[in-house]
Amino acid sequence: MTARDATRERFVAGWRTASPAETEAAGAALAGIVPPNTVLALHGDLGAGKTTFVRGLAQAWGVRGPVVSPTFNYFLLYRGQRQLAHLDAYWLARPADADSLLIEEFLEPPWCLAVEWPENLGDRLPEGAWRLDFAAPEETWRVLTLRQPT
Ligand SMILES: Nc1ncnc2c1ncn2[C@@H]1O[C@H](COP(=O)(O)OP(=O)(O)O)[C@@H](O)[C@H]1O
Ligand SMILES: [Mg+2]
């Protein structure tokens, strides 16, 4: 099994993190295996670790400076070895409101789009999106699970 497959398997089985730093490290691990121009749909409740995960992903792609929650901006854009668009759809009242976000712009190269609250976008994300479920069974740990198929 290649290192890439092993990382993927670990996400499929449920990657357990015991601290924010470990959640960032999981994001960095995913950064190393995700193909270019992939959409990442990050499912999970408030506080489950989605933004923390994206911080680790962005830093692994060489993004410098703070990576913060885009909640009040909808989108935050970053440039490293890859270009990352981080969208938080939490405040979208209806999927129809997503039309004004111009999501299509970020579904094309060179962008990788990472979305928190993807269910608020209806069916606007592509079939090939990688979907990760974030669970916080207890305050002190998280489980990150990659849905199959990706
Ligand atoms: N494995 C973990 N154990 C404990 N706290 C964590 C873990 N991973 C992330 N956190 C913390 O959980 C809080 C919420 O994380 P955040 O990434 O903002 O969640 P979300 O974007 O899903 O709302 C932050 O304070 C973060 O540091
Ligand atoms: Mg968040």
Side-chain angles (χ1 to χ4, degrees):
M1 196 193 279
T2 64
R4 183 190 200 88
D5 288 342
T7 300
R8 200 172 171 289
E9 292 275 297
R10 186 169 169 191
F11 275 110
V12 169
W15 188 310
R16 186 179 158 138
T17 71
S19 66
E22 285 190 16
T23 301
E24 287 185 13
L30 195 85
I33 67 165
V34 86
N37 185 227
T38 302
V39 174
L40 298 173
L42 310 177
H43 298 265
D45 286 340
L46 270 184
K50 303 179 294 296
T51 299
T52 306
F53 180 85
V54 172
R55 179 174 304 120
L57 177 102
Q59 288 172 348
W61 284 341
V63 170
R64 289 159 193 258
V67 175
V68 298
S69 176
T71 304
F72 299 104
N73 306 76
Y74 288 109
F75 281 107
L76 287 174
L77 307 181
Y78 301 97
R79 185 192 289 270
Q81 281 101 45
R82 300 202 197 172
Q83 281 180 226
L84 173 67
H86 185 189
L87 169 64
D88 190 341
Y90 182 71
W91 290 110
L92 273 191
R94 302 168 303 150
D97 294 341
D99 292 336
S100 61
L101 290 178
L102 302 176
I103 289 160
E104 318 79 63
E105 303 282 327
F106 301 107
L107 298 181
E108 291 172 17
W111 293 101
C112 170
L113 174 64
V115 185
E116 299 186 33
W117 299 95
E119 40 286 288
N120 288 357
L121 299 180
D123 59 1
R124 285 168 177 74
L125 297 184
E127 292 249 323
W130 285 31
R131 294 187 181 272
L132 279 147
D133 291 303
F134 288 70
E138 287 176 42
E139 187 50 43
T140 51
W141 53 286
R142 308 285 187 266
V143 185
L144 288 44
T145 310
L146 181 63
R147 287 190 203 170
Q148 300 255 49
T150 52

